[in-house]
Amino acid sequence: MRKRILGVVALSAVLVAGAGGLTACGSSDSGSDSKTITYWASNQGSSIQNDKDVLGPELKKFTKQTGIKVKLQVIGWNDLLNKITTATTSGQGPDVVNIGNTWSASLQATGAFVDFDKSHMDTIGGQDKFLATSMSSTGAAGKTPTSVPLYGLSYGLFYNKKMFADAGIKNPPSSWQELVTDAKKLTKPGGKQYGITLAGASYTENAHFAFIFGQQQGGNFFDKSGKPTFDTPQNVKAVQQYTDLISKDKVATPASAEHTTTNDAVEDFTSGKAAMLLGQNNTNTGIEANGMKASDYAVAPIPMLSPLPAGGKKINSHVAGINIAAFKGGNETGAMKFIKFMTSAKEQVILDKAFNALPVTSEAAKDPAFQTPENKMFVDVLANTAAPMPMITDESQFETTVGNAMKDLIAQAATGKSVSAADVKKSLGDAQQKMQSGG
Amino acid sequence: MTATDSAVRDGRRAGKGSDRTPRRRRVAQHRWLPYLLLAPAIIFELLVHVIPMLTGIGISFLKLNQFFLRNWLEAPFAGLSNYHYAIDVNGSIGKALIWSFVVTIGFTILVVGISWVLGMFAAVMLQRSFRGRALLRTIFLIPYALPVYAGVIVWKFMLSRDNGMVNHLLAQLHITDGHTFWLIGNNAFASIVVVAVWRLWPFALLTLMAGMQSLPTDVYEAAAVDGAGMWQQFRKLTLPMLRGINQVLILVLFLWTFNDFNVPYTLFSASIPKSADLISIHVYQSSFQNFNFGLGSAMSVLLLLFLLVVTGVYLLFTSRRSRRA
Amino acid sequence: MRESTSFKVIRVVGLTLLTLFTLAPLYVMIVSGLKPLSDVQGAFSWIPSHLTVQPFVDIWHTIPLARYFSNSVIVSLSAALFSVLIAIFASYAVSRWNFRGKQVFRITVLSTQMFPGILFLLPLYLIFVNIGQATGFALQGSRVGLIITYLTFSLPFSIWMLVGYFDTIPRGLDEAAKVDGAGPMRTLWSVVIPAAKPGIVAVGIYSFMTAWGETLFASVMTNDSSKTLAIGLREYSTQISVYWNQVMAASLVVSVPVVVGFLLLQRYLVQGLTAGAVK
């Protein structure tokens, strides 16, 4: 008996020691000295490992240049916001972190990030090195940014060349109306082939398109004072412009309604179920990871309503992308050096090529790598016809309320109930009430 | 020789050589012993559950959003306004919360009920030895052995409209046309019930099997001699003898299912369909996605109160009944 | 013992249906793990058009599966072991002594089972960070922190269940041991624990599985080196693509040791039969 007790005790001791021993090397989220920084990178590549493979050699270069070691953690999108939030409460975060640029105003409000005031901006090479549109998505208007652009992204229309040719369509659609007509031509009875595919259950994607089409319709989701104005006629039309693809026109794959991520929609596109796909430029990676050849598809700007309704703006993408920020209280000097390095023209070219992203500095944008017709198009959209998502502290609430309302409408459409303007107005009204009382 | 036999003898042998402690010291030592035995449990419960919980309740009275996250101790006092939002039936937040609550109740009752029935059925069927029993027992426990993510993601894969196995099978059997949506609309509720039962019932089985194994076999033999059928034996013997274990099992299944986060989150990500809008995700969205920790905490506290009441009534009811019996 | 024909029919039919229900997802898992990615993304087929073991090779490179797996095993085993030990002590006290505060303890412990995780995730995180800052012993992001959290998650149920099991063990056995001069601790080790073995094993499995599958706390409280499988597996689904075949293959691979563990523990569950016969 005693032997057995001893055994249990010994086993516990071993387990504790094992676990404890590993805390030593695993616990250094913070507490970095001046010679190390911790970096939380977002997942940009085809896998977390791919991100590490791409970033690894670059981080080595940085260490060689500055003597500062970088401890890298690549964090999936599922966990990134939660981790940043919890790190914020405790004041113990990494030194440098990637954020989705639509979060920048919300996270700016927490006061956890270092301000990019004049002196910090100068340290990293001056605000002017960044593209103006990319800079527009770094924090609330009139406030000192707390993040700077790292990877640029914008929306485009991906289309299957062969399916277009088979349907006798020569050029990508030049207006939204034409897109719908083309999509009808491309939709075959029997459910084998559809004109387009959407990530209809993704609240973020839905919110993006509500915003983009809202701009075209001349609508605004917030008034000047920042109050939500979700159920204006323009916004109702904007949402319908999107939901009609599945409801009235029935040109989107029905499964669109259950796609929770863009990569689900990509599967529809690469497997030949859908001829078109609305996606950001890094969608390339996914399409090719699924085995579709670069020569089989092409990209065009997402066509706009023609003519634009009164007050409508020529917007066909939001300023998408990833920003980089530094946590207060860590190795701020090291962090600034690192951000300077990551946003330098040389690194921009290397990283953007590897991640299928767009450069966020004008110098890097000149690199021949971004002069291919496809990249030029995306850069052009980002520079000229993209608007930042509302830069308000409650942006994430806007995305969850409006995006989820649209998800329910799309689900309703896909399961056979038609979606009327009144339905849209009602659910946008509910969303607005939620947003207002969310306080 | 059984484990107990040898254990008793073990104890006897060890007892012989040991010195007798003076009686008084022993009594004193024994008065403290239960507290000593409880100490580790109390310490860990305080650290991980009780103290954070009290903090959480405190947060529910604060206006804790992104502006105060970093210095959350300085967040302004919100009084009962978070609670007001949460239960205001005329507001959309209150309405959505109540809807979510109703969905969760329905979900919980179905999942616990079905899981318990399946677990009980299988436990009774596996009570007597037959060829293949050990194999079946292991097979039934596999869903429970998979990490939740793995077990649920395969269901998500199976339930997808175009490429899923479920629609494929239903079409092959000519039950449907094979184009049913299982992950959106009202069917999503059925889907999540099935998936949750698939994950949960093995646990009911495990517990009931362990319970039944400690039931004396001679009582059954006597009952069989008296001519009691299988059903009667189950009703008159098995059920009453398992009452204590059932009481705890059902309660825990209930609490566990009610608060379950892993299954719905894996099956639907953050975009949960209205018909399956389970409360755990609902609260998660209010807190983490919308940066409204005060409101999220208030909702959680309300749920906690509800669960406390339900559990209290349940325990009162079941223990009184068992005392009478 | 006689078994009627109808009973046998019910048993065969019922158990067959349950087996199919249980195994269908496992079948899909195996088959999909053997398909190339493009096949998995197309319409479902019962039999792969061509078999490939590539997913089983790739899973180790796409994510550090081996590390996540060992983290999960260490965390879950430690959490289960300590949880069961602590629960045994506590249940023994509750089952065998009358002391002040007993009911308060029972009720409090049970009510912790009702705490919605989301309510105390942030506070717990803060407490761990503060302990780390005060003592230099980092709980946040470490496996020890996770072990402590998880062992507490399974404690309430374990204690309640074990009190139930211990209560069914006749006091006569305790008394016999006492007469033989055994102290309370010796009685626990040599009489109570052996008699409650099936219950203890069941509770141990429960504690292990609670830790094995938890995602919410793990997603926030771990870092690269302490990440567990439950959240690590999600990394097969990236922004770019869902590697369905690898998810399935990896799920399969990581479940094998657990299933084998269950098989081994079956023996103890069965042993309970003989122990029960003594009563």
Side-chain angles (χ1 to χ4, degrees):
Chain A
M1 197 71 220
R2 188 161 293 159
K3 246 188 212 158
R4 221 181 295 164
I5 299 173
L6 270 176
V8 170
V9 172
L11 181 60
S12 335
V14 168
L15 286 170
V16 170
L22 281 141
T23 17
C25 63
S27 64
S28 33
D29 264 6
S30 61
S32 32
D33 49 55
S34 62
K35 283 288 154 210
T36 38
I37 54 171
T38 317
Y39 174 41
W40 286 0
S42 52
N43 167 220
Q44 299 301 129
S46 55
S47 68
I48 302 258
Q49 191 53 46
N50 173 253
D51 279 282
K52 288 183 187 159
D53 294 345
V54 170
L55 289 170
E58 306 313 308
L59 300 185
K60 277 210 188 96
K61 269 189 225 164
F62 174 71
T63 309
K64 220 172 163 191
Q65 285 172 20
T66 59
I68 300 172
K69 272 201 200 115
V70 183
K71 283 192 197 149
L72 170 71
Q73 267 197 60
V74 180
I75 297 173
W77 286 100
N78 262 330
D79 301 329
L80 189 58
L81 185 59
N82 289 0
K83 289 199 74 136
I84 294 175
T85 311
T86 41
T88 303
T89 54
S90 66
Q92 270 208 337
D95 298 295
V96 181
V97 64
N98 284 7
I99 62 170
N101 69 358
T102 55
W103 308 339
S104 45
S106 299
L107 291 175
Q108 179 182 43
T110 65
F113 292 163
V114 175
D115 280 336
F116 281 93
D117 51 17
K118 180 88 174 50
S119 76
H120 275 138
M121 269 301 184
D122 289 344
T123 327
I124 62 164
Q127 179 165 341
D128 295 340
K129 83 170 183 179
F130 296 104
L131 294 171
T133 33
S134 294
M135 267 316 286
S136 68
S137 202
T138 53
K143 289 211 178 116
T144 316
T146 53
S147 59
V148 291
L150 178 63
Y151 305 124
L153 296 168
S154 63
Y155 270 108
L157 173 73
F158 292 77
Y159 62 94
N160 184 318
K161 284 197 216 163
K162 185 169 177 295
M163 285 161 91
F164 264 54
D166 288 349
I169 306 167
K170 291 207 176 66
N171 296 310
S174 58
S175 72
W176 185 259
Q177 291 88 338
E178 200 182 320
L179 179 142
V180 175
T181 327
D182 285 351
K184 281 183 185 156
K185 276 188 218 158
L186 289 158
T187 304
K188 288 185 181 159
K192 285 262 183 277
Q193 184 186 318
Y194 287 87
I196 197 164
T197 177
L198 321 166
S202 156
Y203 71 87
T204 47
E205 289 254 317
N206 288 343
H208 295 161
F209 286 109
F211 169 77
I212 293 167
F213 296 138
Q215 294 281 304
Q216 289 181 24
Q217 298 277 5
N220 253 321
F221 280 86
F222 296 91
D223 64 15
K224 287 260 159 15
S225 63
K227 284 226 173 65
T229 53
F230 290 177
D231 58 353
T232 61
Q234 291 92 335
N235 289 341
V236 171
K237 272 192 199 144
V239 169
Q240 268 194 302
Q241 189 177 336
Y242 195 59
T243 54
D244 272 356
L245 291 174
I246 204 160
S247 165
K248 190 176 117 226
D249 303 319
K250 301 195 190 333
V251 290
T253 58
S256 294
E258 64 178 29
H259 293 337
T260 48
T261 55
T262 317
N263 52 40
D264 296 335
V266 169
E267 285 184 26
D268 273 355
F269 184 70
T270 54
S271 65
K273 243 176 246 156
M276 290 185 275
L277 165 76
L278 305 175
Q280 298 176 2
N281 41 300
N282 59 352
T283 312
N284 278 337
T285 318
I287 293 176
E288 277 154 38
N290 284 358
M292 192 168 184
K293 281 198 263 350
S295 54
D296 291 342
Y297 69 96
V299 204
I302 296 179
M304 290 180 247
L305 290 167
S306 169
L308 279 177
K313 298 189 195 94
K314 284 190 138 186
I315 295 298
N316 60 359
S317 174
H318 74 285
V319 179
I322 314 304
N323 288 358
I324 189 165
F327 260 93
K328 277 182 191 159
N331 178 359
E332 290 181 22
T333 326
M336 286 302 144
K337 281 187 190 153
F338 183 64
I339 292 174
K340 180 183 184 185
F341 171 82
M342 291 292 279
T343 54
S344 69
K346 215 170 150 197
E347 287 308 308
Q348 280 284 304
V349 173
I350 296 171
L351 294 173
D352 289 330
K353 265 202 276 188
F355 293 140
N356 270 319
L358 302 173
V360 291
T361 66
S362 33
E363 200 193 331
K366 285 185 206 130
D367 189 273
F370 304 105
Q371 308 311 317
T372 63
E374 187 190 311
N375 272 327
K376 259 184 142 163
M377 181 227 100
F378 278 117
V379 173
D380 183 56
V381 168
L382 185 62
N384 300 315
T385 56
M389 290 290 278
M391 281 291 124
I392 51 163
T393 50
D394 291 336
E395 199 277 337
S396 51
Q397 259 151 296
F398 162 65
E399 288 197 20
T400 49
T401 51
V402 172
N404 277 325
M406 285 172 75
K407 179 206 72 194
D408 290 338
L409 289 169
I410 291 171
Q412 184 186 330
T415 47
K417 278 160 261 154
S418 67
V419 174
S420 67
D423 292 336
V424 176
K425 189 172 162 56
K426 188 179 170 298
S427 57
L428 284 177
D430 281 349
Q432 176 172 336
Q433 211 196 351
K434 259 186 224 170
M435 176 95 191
Q436 273 167 337
S437 50
Chain B
M1 191 177 67
T2 68
T4 319
D5 268 345
S6 67
V8 170
R9 275 196 300 129
D10 242 15
R12 202 173 292 157
R13 213 180 299 133
K16 263 178 203 156
S18 69
D19 304 281
R20 299 248 158 168
T21 32
R23 209 192 177 103
R24 198 186 299 151
R25 227 187 90 199
R26 193 163 215 190
V27 168
Q29 183 201 336
H30 286 188
R31 187 170 330 134
W32 286 106
L33 191 62
Y35 295 105
L36 213 64
L37 287 169
L38 289 178
I42 292 173
I43 291 170
F44 284 114
E45 285 294 338
L46 280 178
L47 175 72
V48 176
H49 275 135
V50 180
I51 297 174
M53 187 65 206
L54 295 175
T55 319
I57 295 175
I59 287 176
S60 72
F61 295 103
L62 299 177
K63 189 178 161 67
L64 183 60
N65 52 26
Q66 64 264 53
F67 294 101
F68 302 102
L69 207 50
R70 191 153 156 267
N71 297 306
W72 60 278
L73 283 174
E74 285 157 31
F77 188 65
L80 290 173
S81 71
N82 288 323
Y83 289 91
H84 179 78
Y85 280 130
I87 55 169
D88 175 19
V89 264
N90 295 319
S92 51
I93 290 186
K95 245 186 250 167
L97 183 70
I98 287 172
W99 168 256
S100 166
F101 178 74
V102 171
V103 168
T104 311
I105 297 270
F107 168 77
T108 310
I109 291 175
L110 281 173
V111 170
V112 172
I114 301 172
S115 300
W116 184 82
V117 168
L118 291 183
M120 193 51 137
F121 173 78
V124 171
M125 293 299 142
L126 293 173
Q127 200 176 2
R128 277 158 213 205
S129 98
F130 57 91
R131 202 185 302 161
R133 179 172 76 152
L135 178 70
L136 279 182
R137 227 166 15 193
T138 310
I139 287 178
F140 289 154
L141 290 180
I142 293 178
Y144 190 57
L146 291 169
V148 185
Y149 179 82
V152 177
I153 202 76
V154 68
W155 274 102
K156 183 176 176 149
F157 183 61
M158 285 163 62
L159 290 167
S160 88
R161 177 185 184 267
D162 288 357
N163 303 332
M165 176 273 224
V166 173
N167 271 344
H168 186 76
L169 177 70
L170 291 175
Q172 275 185 338
L173 298 175
H174 300 288
I175 297 173
T176 67
D177 63 355
H179 295 303
T180 319
F181 279 107
W182 294 108
L183 294 170
I184 58 170
N186 291 336
N187 290 343
F189 181 75
S191 299
I192 192 152
V193 168
V194 170
V195 176
V197 165
W198 183 79
R199 277 220 25 100
L200 194 66
W201 84 271
F203 177 69
L205 171 67
L206 175 74
T207 314
L208 291 170
M209 274 192 324
M212 280 184 190
Q213 271 162 10
S214 53
L215 299 184
T217 41
D218 46 351
V219 194
Y220 284 94
E221 275 153 25
V225 170
D226 289 349
M230 287 292 171
W231 176 243
Q232 269 177 321
Q233 287 184 24
F234 173 71
R235 272 195 53 206
K236 297 267 162 64
L237 293 174
T238 312
L239 265 188
M241 284 195 287
L242 285 177
R243 176 169 280 156
I245 286 168
N246 268 327
Q247 183 195 357
V248 186
L249 174 66
I250 289 179
L251 182 60
V252 166
L253 292 181
F254 170 78
L255 294 174
W256 206 13
T257 310
F258 194 90
N259 280 330
D260 189 19
F261 178 82
N262 296 335
V263 172
Y265 190 72
T266 310
L267 198 59
F268 302 117
S269 317
S271 300
I272 197 154
K274 207 169 170 236
S275 68
D277 190 10
L278 295 184
I279 207 122
S280 51
I281 303 274
H282 198 85
V283 176
Y284 170 77
Q285 211 153 48
S286 305
S287 322
F288 271 89
Q289 246 142 23
N290 291 347
F291 287 106
N292 203 334
F293 293 91
L295 181 63
S297 299
M299 289 177 176
S300 306
V301 172
L302 290 173
L303 293 182
L304 177 61
L305 289 177
F306 166 77
L307 292 177
L308 279 174
V309 170
V310 170
T311 311
V313 171
Y314 174 84
L315 286 180
L316 214 67
F317 189 70
T318 51
S319 51
R320 189 179 297 159
R321 231 181 43 182
S322 65
R323 214 172 294 148
R324 214 187 295 141
Chain C
M1 226 174 296
R2 283 170 293 112
E3 286 178 1
S4 60
T5 328
S6 60
F7 179 79
K8 277 186 184 150
V9 171
I10 292 176
R11 185 167 74 190
V12 170
V13 174
L15 292 183
T16 308
L17 287 177
L18 273 174
T19 309
L20 288 178
F21 177 53
T22 307
L23 287 184
L26 296 172
Y27 178 78
V28 171
M29 209 177 250
I30 296 170
V31 169
S32 309
L34 292 168
K35 288 179 184 174
L37 186 60
S38 55
D39 271 26
V40 185
Q41 290 175 343
F44 180 80
S45 58
W46 291 104
I47 298 157
S49 60
H50 53 290
L51 288 170
T52 168
V53 289
Q54 198 57 38
F56 286 88
V57 178
D58 292 339
I59 50 174
W60 306 97
H61 311 297
T62 312
I63 69 170
L65 184 64
R67 190 197 320 149
Y68 296 165
F69 181 75
S70 75
N71 279 341
S72 265
V73 170
I74 290 175
V75 167
S76 310
L77 268 186
S78 315
L81 185 74
F82 288 116
S83 175
V84 167
L85 269 180
I86 294 171
I88 286 175
F89 289 142
S91 313
Y92 185 49
V94 172
S95 168
R96 291 299 192 263
W97 274 274
N98 272 316
F99 54 89
R100 196 180 301 193
K102 180 164 147 175
Q103 277 314 312
V104 176
F105 175 78
R106 287 190 82 173
I107 302 289
T108 313
V109 163
L110 183 69
S111 62
T112 60
Q113 191 80 42
M114 295 163 218
F115 296 176
I118 209 81
L119 181 53
F120 62 100
L121 173 59
L122 262 188
L124 183 63
Y125 179 89
L126 285 168
I127 288 173
F128 276 10
V129 167
N130 285 330
I131 290 179
Q133 280 165 341
T135 66
F137 186 68
L139 292 174
Q140 203 291 312
S142 76
R143 298 191 226 180
V144 174
L146 218 52
I147 291 170
I148 291 177
T149 311
Y150 289 162
L151 82 87
T152 323
F153 282 4
S154 47
L155 258 191
F157 173 73
S158 303
I159 292 177
W160 269 72
M161 221 48 197
L162 284 184
V163 169
Y165 285 111
F166 287 178
D167 280 348
T168 62
I169 298 164
R171 302 294 164 101
L173 292 179
D174 288 34
E175 295 300 325
K178 201 172 173 186
V179 167
D180 287 349
M185 290 316 281
R186 178 148 295 278
T187 310
L188 172 64
W189 286 116
S190 54
V191 177
V192 178
I193 291 180
K197 209 183 250 169
I200 291 172
V201 171
V203 160
I205 293 178
Y206 164 77
S207 308
F208 180 86
M209 294 317 303
T210 306
W212 185 248
E214 204 282 333
T215 55
L216 180 62
F217 282 72
S219 74
V220 170
M221 308 238 272
T222 58
N223 59 22
D224 254 8
S225 56
S226 57
K227 205 177 272 178
T228 57
L229 268 183
I231 49 165
L233 282 179
R234 295 200 306 213
E235 290 175 2
Y236 288 111
S237 137
T238 64
Q239 223 197 349
I240 302 298
S241 188
V242 184
Y243 301 93
W244 285 111
N245 50 353
Q246 291 189 42
V247 177
M248 302 298 156
S251 306
L252 209 63
V253 168
V254 302
S255 335
V256 169
V258 183
V259 172
V260 171
F262 271 14
L263 271 170
L264 294 177
L265 285 174
Q266 287 255 344
R267 202 163 57 89
Y268 290 97
L269 278 170
V270 175
Q271 247 183 30
L273 261 175
T274 29
V278 178
K279 289 172 215 166

